[in-house]
Amino acid sequence: MQLFNRKKPSVRPKVGLTLGGGGARGFVQVGALKAFRERKIDFDVCVGTSVGSIVGALYCAGIAPDEIAQAAEDIEFGDLHGRILFKPNDPRKIGNMIYPIIGDAQIENLNKKYAAIATDLKTGKQVILDSGSVLNAVSASSAFPIAYAPLQLNGMNLSDGGLVNNIPADVCRMLGADKVVTVDAHASRGSGTDGTGMLDILKAMFSIMGANASVVGLMQSDIVIAPDTSAFRSTSKDGFRDMIEIGYRAAMDKCDEIEKLFEPQNV
C-alpha cells in the first residue's frame, strides 16, 4: 500500500499592531502609519494605550495618516485641558477632538479589530475596551491622572491605561494576533530626576511607572519600532513634523522585516 504525503495547507498569520503611550510623542506613530501605507502593510488588529489608543482608533476607522496628521496639527492643547494646575479636566475632551473625524463611531463597526487599554482606579486592574463608543474608549485610555478626572463608565473609574499596560502587545495576541509589531513612542521613559520639587518627583514617578508597565509588552512584541523621541516633550506638539518624519523613517527601516511576518506558514 502506497502512502501519499499530503502537503499541509499554508495559512497567513494574523499580524497585530500595538501603539504605546507617550503623549504628544505619538506623532511618531502617525509617521509609522505613513510608512505602512506606502508599503501596503495592512494589520489585522490594533491595540493602543493612551495616545496610541487615539492613533489606533483612527487607523482602524480607515482614516489616512495625512488626515490624522492634519487633524492633530489643528488641535490646540488648550482645548484639551485647562490652565489651572491640579484641577482635573473632563476626560471626554479627549474623545471630543476626534468626533469631527469619525463621529460617534462604535468599536464594533470599525474596519479592523480594535481595543483600547484603560485602568480601573477602583480595582487597580487593566480594562480592555473592545466594544462600545470609540470616544469613550480613547477618553478613558488617555485620561492621564491629575490632568484628567477618571471617566466613569459601567461602575468603573477609568484612567490612563499606561498605569498598568503601556505596551499592550499581550492584548493584541489575546485578540487573535499571531505576530505583533509595536511602535513605542517614548522609548526613553523611565529616567529619574535630580530635583526634589513636587513636580519633578511626580514626573519621575510616572516615567518610572510607565517603564515598568512596558516591559511585558516589549517582550511580547516580534518587532519593535522605537524612534528616539527624547528631544521632544509629551505635553507639547512643538516639532510635530519632525516627529512624524522620525517615525516614518524608523518604520521604513523595519518594513522588510514586518512584511516577512505576513508570509504564509504551514499548519
Side-chain angles (χ1 to χ4, degrees), residues 4-259:
F4 295 93
N5 292 325
R6 294 184 177 179
K7 187 176 180 180
K8 294 181 179 180
S10 296
V11 176
R12 181 183 75 75
K14 290 185 178 180
V15 184
L17 175 65
T18 298
L19 301 175
R25 292 181 175 95
F27 278 106
V28 297
Q29 297 170 345
V30 179
L33 293 184
K34 290 184 66 175
F36 300 148
R37 188 179 181 91
E38 282 188 20
R39 293 290 292 264
K40 295 181 172 56
I41 293 173
D42 194 21
F43 295 95
D44 300 290
V45 55
C46 179
V47 180
T49 292
S50 198
V51 68
S53 74
I54 300 171
V55 177
L58 295 174
Y59 170 68
C60 290
I63 308 302
D66 286 340
E67 188 175 347
I68 298 174
Q70 183 60 55
E73 181 178 358
D74 294 340
I75 291 171
E76 295 297 333
F77 272 37
D79 297 333
L80 299 178
H81 56 79
R83 301 297 183 184
I84 302 175
L85 194 62
F86 299 133
K87 182 180 179 181
N89 287 265
D90 182 351
R92 288 184 174 83
K93 288 183 177 181
I94 302 169
N96 288 342
M97 72 177 178
I98 64 172
Y99 177 81
I101 307 173
I102 63 173
D104 190 18
Q106 299 298 298
I107 292 175
E108 297 90 335
N109 297 329
L110 295 177
N111 297 344
K112 301 178 183 296
K113 187 176 290 187
Y114 164 81
I117 305 303
T119 304
D120 182 6
L121 295 183
K122 287 186 177 182
T123 64
K125 294 182 178 180
Q126 168 179 274
V127 176
I128 301 171
L129 300 168
D130 59 353
S131 63
S133 168
V134 174
L135 304 187
N136 280 344
V138 302
S139 295
S141 183
S142 306
F144 190 77
I146 301 176
Y148 292 95
L151 180 73
Q152 296 181 334
L153 184 68
N154 299 329
M156 299 178 290
N157 290 336
L158 301 180
S159 193
D160 197 307
L163 297 175
V164 291
N165 196 351
N166 201 51
I167 305 287
D170 57 332
V171 178
C172 223
R173 294 187 185 277
M174 288 171 57
L175 295 182
D178 301 301
K179 304 290 184 179
V180 178
V181 175
T182 287
V183 182
D184 186 357
H186 188 15
S188 60
R189 69 175 67 83
S191 57
T193 180
D194 291 328
T196 57
M198 181 171 60
L199 291 179
D200 289 329
I201 292 172
L202 283 173
K203 182 179 178 181
M205 178 183 71
F206 284 117
S207 180
I208 294 168
M209 288 171 59
N212 289 334
S214 302
V215 173
V216 173
L218 292 172
M219 293 175 62
Q220 288 279 330
S221 303
D222 294 282
I223 295 175
V224 177
I225 299 168
D228 182 3
T229 57
S230 58
F232 307 97
R233 293 186 296 160
S234 61
T235 56
S236 171
K237 67 178 188 180
D238 290 347
F240 73 91
R241 290 189 180 87
D242 292 332
M243 284 188 273
I244 291 174
E245 180 62 23
I246 289 170
Y248 172 84
R249 292 201 307 267
M252 272 296 187
D253 288 342
K254 296 280 188 175
C255 278
D256 286 343
E257 294 178 52
I258 294 171
E259 287 173 346

